[in-house]
């Protein structure tokens, strides 16, 4: 008895895994930009890869990363309509807006993910003032909440959140400036 | 428009980026972005950057890929796909940091300190080792700054060099041999330490419990507070929890409220997966890892708050009868005896001179002439002498302990079924009394029994008698209610002996707020009046100060 599933050649499986490796960072960042909870991003990204694998025959040629992001948008839009899916989204109105507007907007993670590949984010992190770099270290590398960081600094949580926002802006400006320079 | 709401949008954006939006933040941001395309673009890029930073911080750069491969293997034709995945895995696994993406490779600045701990450890363990060894300098505070204060102590005994002396700084170790100590941290954390216990201060947000028990209460602002133990560590996630360290270093953790993360350690290295504990859950942290225990087990063994012992203040009326006291029960000559009340139901006149009483200030004595009357059957109480005080005047409100004492010199051998002693009650038909009782017609007619009797409704009941005692001796009688229980003690000052009588608990007096106590004597059915001398009289109520929280502030 022959399986109804389309049998992909071994080469295609290897190709897919290679592309998971290549595009996973960009996909995860794009999912986060749609307002998905930080802790649910990886879970959704995995779902997207499984769906993509199941629908590989739908992908012809072109930007595989962009195709993955399209799948992610459809998946999140579907989940937005389900009660269970809302748990993975921070705020429905926010995600609705992002889903609507992202059709016209340039995919935010594309350029940034490239920045990872060329190491500009690292350069920019090293340019942060020591205190700012320490705060980023606490927030992302030690995964401390703003409240916990505030406790370490004996400052209010709001101060930490505002500082983190300022630091992210500094990093963003730096990364984009560097990327622009290198693309010239 | 955006400029007007700029601050609130900024605050909403900062909360959103940290994954902790308030209700309404998402809608407010969506509305602001709809009006400002540049803001929308920036928010998208900031969120993407946030996730890229998160990815860069992952300890294993291949972790995500491996999970996807596993799920794909389950989805696809298992055998064929697994073969393909396994074929790829060695390459993926070889993707060590040196071969990882440039960002991860160059993120070593953030992990370089980890390498100090041990180059041989896996990345996961390295992260933990750094946490355990390098965190003391992470307070952001001056090393000389105190990070905690002793706020409350109860029955504390400290070991030498282990006592708090205004020096609760990182590195200080407290050795509490016994008692309870409440410590307040600069961060707002409150700890109750139960002796015997040893506690080392690491930072304002972390301590090391070497042995003993502590209960920690962590406010939201100090979320992330950590208790390190020889068995591992416990990280607060906004909660109240207890940690106990046994002699062998094994650690018990109990969550009273909120949740915590627990992780086991081997030596200086955290070596197990993080286990989340929720409210009422317990776990044992040891060399073999973190094991959840039965809900609520052992929570009773933790002291979560130091409750100061009640402050008891005795209020006493003491009379030695060496002077007349104006405004009190007058004797036959109008001198105030010092006593203020009679047991209600007995002769009611408080202001009229009492011909049966005579105060003798020279000898310090109150003489009482006794007539035929009896509380049993409430006979002739109009001429009964049941004099004393109202406890409410000494602060009694119903629940306090109290005592009444009288010294009776040269006890008379009263006629009839003569009796003398002390009483406590609401009125003549709702009281208890005890002292000496002469049994009429008995073989021991010339002697007294010690007695204690109830009267609830006018008739004596539950009469309890012991021993024999002759007249002519000096006695000190004390009727006391202690922790709600009544006892009558008779001390023979002549022989130096004493005995205490108890009886069934007179529960009919339990909730009474208007109690009277005093001294009495009666000669029921006696043909001749008798005379009783009273040398000293004292009534005491142990009043409770209201419980004061917050150390009395």
């Amino acid at each position: 008895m022959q399986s109804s599933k389309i049998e992909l050649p071994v080469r295609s499986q290897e190709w897919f895994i290679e592309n998971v490796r290549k595009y996973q960072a960009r996909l995860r960042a794009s999912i986060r930009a749609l307002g998905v909870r930080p802790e649910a991003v990886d879970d959704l990204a995995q779902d997207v890869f499984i769906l993509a694998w199941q629908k590989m025959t739908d992908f012809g040629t072109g930007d595989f990363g962009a195709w993955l992001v399209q799948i992610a948008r459809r998946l999140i839009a579907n989940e937005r309509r389900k009660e269970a899916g809302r748990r993975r989204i921070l705020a429905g109105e926010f995600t609705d807006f992002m889903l609507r507007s992202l059709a016209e907007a340039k995919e935010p993670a594309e350029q940034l993910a490239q920045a990872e590949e060329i190491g500009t984010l690292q350069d920019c992190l090293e340019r942060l003032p020591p205190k700012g770099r320490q705060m980023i270290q606490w927030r992302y590398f030690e995964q401390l909440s703003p409240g916990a960081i505030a406790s370490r600094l004996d400052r209010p949580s709001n101060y930490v959140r505002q500082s983190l926002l300022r630091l992210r802006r500094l990093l963003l400006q730096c990364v984009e400036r560097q990327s622009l320079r290198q693309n010239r | 428009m955006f400029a007007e709401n700029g601050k609130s949008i900024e605050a909403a954006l900062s909360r959103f980026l940290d994954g902790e939006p308030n209700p309404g933040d998402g809608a407010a941001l969506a509305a602001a972005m709809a009006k400002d395309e540049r803001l929308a673009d920036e928010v998208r890029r900031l969120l993407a950057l946030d996730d890229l930073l998160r990815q860069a911080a992952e300890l294993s750069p291949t972790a995500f890929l491996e999970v996807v491969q596993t799920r794909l293997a389950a989805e696809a034709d298992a055998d064929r796909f697994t073969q393909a995945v396994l074929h790829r895995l060695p390459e993926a696994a070889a993707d060590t940091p040196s071969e990882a993406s440039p960002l991860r490779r160059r993120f070593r600045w953030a992990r370089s300190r980890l390498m100090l701990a041990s180059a041989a450890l896996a990345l996961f363990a390295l992260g933990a080792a750094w946490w355990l060894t390098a965190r003391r300098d992470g307070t952001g505070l001056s090393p000389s700054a105190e990070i905690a204060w002793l706020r409350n102590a109860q029955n504390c005994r400290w070991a030498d060099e282990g006592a708090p002396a205004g020096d609760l700084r990182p590195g200080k170790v407290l050795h509490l041999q016994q008692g309870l100590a409440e410590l307040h941290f600069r961060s707002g954390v409150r700890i109750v330490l139960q002796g015997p216990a040893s506690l080392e201060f690491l930072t304002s947000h972390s301590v090391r419990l070497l042995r003993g028990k502590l209960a920690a209460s962590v406010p939201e602002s100090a979320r992330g507070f950590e208790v390190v133990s020889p068995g591992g560590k416990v990280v607060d996630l906004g909660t109240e929890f207890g940690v106990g360290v046994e002699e062998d270093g094994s650690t018990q953790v109990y969550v009273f409220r909120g949740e915590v993360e627990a992780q086991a350690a081997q030596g200086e290295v955290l070596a197990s997966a993080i286990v989340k504990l929720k409210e009422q859950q317990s776990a044992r942290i040891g060399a073999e890892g973190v094991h959840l225990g039965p809900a609520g087990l052992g929570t009773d063994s933790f002291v979560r708050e130091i409750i100061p012992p009640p402050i008891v203040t005795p209020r006493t009326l003491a009379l030695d009868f060496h002077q007349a006291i104006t405004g009190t029960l007058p004797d036959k000559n109008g001198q105030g005896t010092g006593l203020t009340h009679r047991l209600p139901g007995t002769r009611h006149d408080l202001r009229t001179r009492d011909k049966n009483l005579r105060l003798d200030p020279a000898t310090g004595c109150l003489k009482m002439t006794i007539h035929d009357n009896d509380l049993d059957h409430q006979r002739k109480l109009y001429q009964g002498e049941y004099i004393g005080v109202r406890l409410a005047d000494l602060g009694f409100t119903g629940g306090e302990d109290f005592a009444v004492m009288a010294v009776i010199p040269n006890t008379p051998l009263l006629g009839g079924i003569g009796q003398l002693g002390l009483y406590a009650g609401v009125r003549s038909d709702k009281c208890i009394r005890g002292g000496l009782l002469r049994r009429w017609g008995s073989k021991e007619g010339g002697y007294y029994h010690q007695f204690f009797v109830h009267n609830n409704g006018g008739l004596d009941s539950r009469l309890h008698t012991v021993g024999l005692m002759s007249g002519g001796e000096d006695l000190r009688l004390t009727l006391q209610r202690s922790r709600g229980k009544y006892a009558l003690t008779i001390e023979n000052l002549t022989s130096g002996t004493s005995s205490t009588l108890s009886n069934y608990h007179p529960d009919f007096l339990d909730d009474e707020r208007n109690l009277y106590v005093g001294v009495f004597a009666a000669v029921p059915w006696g043909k001749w009046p008798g005379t009783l001398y009273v040398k000293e009289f004292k009534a005491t109520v142990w009043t409770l100060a209201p419980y004061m929280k917050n150390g009395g502030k």
Side-chain angles (χ1 to χ4, degrees), chain B residues 347-364:
Chain B
R347 55 186 299 172
H348 58 274
D349 48 338
L350 298 177
R351 295 186 179 176
T352 310
R353 295 182 179 188
D354 186 343
K355 63 180 182 182
N356 294 324
L357 298 178
R358 190 169 71 83
L359 183 71
D360 184 359
T363 58

Side-chain angles (χ1 to χ4, degrees), chain B residues 330-344:
Chain B
D331 70 355
K332 62 188 287 188
N333 300 316
Q335 298 182 100
T337 59
L339 297 165
T340 55
H341 289 81
R342 299 176 183 276
L343 179 63

Side-chain angles (χ1 to χ4, degrees), chain B residues 31-70:
Chain B
M33 289 189 297
K35 291 172 182 166
D36 186 338
E37 178 55 32
R38 280 185 309 169
L39 173 69
D41 190 46
E42 186 196 37
V43 172
R44 281 187 207 103
R45 289 180 293 133
L46 282 170
L47 282 165
L49 177 81
D50 173 69
D51 199 75
L52 288 171
L53 282 165
R54 217 174 294 277
Q55 292 176 37
E58 286 169 356
L59 287 171
S60 170
T62 59
F64 182 85
L65 184 65
E66 285 162 14
V67 173
V68 173
Q69 284 174 323
T70 304

Side-chain angles (χ1 to χ4, degrees), chain A residues 9-137:
Chain A
V10 171
R11 184 177 168 276
S12 293
Q13 292 169 358
E14 288 181 339
W15 179 90
F16 186 83
I17 290 166
E18 195 53 46
N19 279 280
V20 172
R21 185 197 300 276
K22 185 176 174 183
Y23 289 108
Q24 51 100 5
R26 173 177 161 189
L27 175 66
R28 290 155 78 187
S30 296
I31 288 172
R32 176 82 175 101
L34 288 167
V36 170
R37 290 184 185 280
E39 60 271 25
V41 166
D42 287 3
D43 195 28
L44 262 166
Q46 289 158 20
D47 291 350
V48 169
F49 280 120
I50 300 301
L51 267 176
W53 169 250
Q54 290 169 344
K55 296 181 180 298
M56 267 304 291
T57 50
D58 293 352
F59 177 63
T61 56
D63 185 348
F64 186 66
W67 184 62
L68 290 172
V69 173
Q70 277 181 20
I71 294 175
R73 291 184 56 222
R74 283 201 295 273
L75 188 64
I76 293 166
N78 284 339
E79 291 226 347
R80 171 79 180 93
R81 290 192 284 273
K82 290 188 290 189
E83 187 61 34
R86 287 176 198 157
R87 288 198 293 268
R88 299 206 280 193
I89 291 165
L90 277 168
E93 301 91 331
F94 183 96
T95 294
D96 288 345
F97 173 83
M98 287 301 191
L99 286 168
R100 281 198 310 271
S101 63
L102 202 63
E104 299 88 43
K106 185 172 164 55
E107 186 195 331
E110 185 179 3
Q111 189 183 11
L112 291 171
Q114 283 174 5
E116 185 201 2
E117 290 301 315
I118 56 178
T120 48
L121 181 52
Q122 167 61 29
D123 292 338
C124 293
L125 279 164
E126 288 180 349
R127 288 181 189 189
L128 288 178
K131 282 184 181 174
R133 207 160 56 191
Q134 174 69 81
M135 201 176 275
I136 292 286
Q137 161 116 359

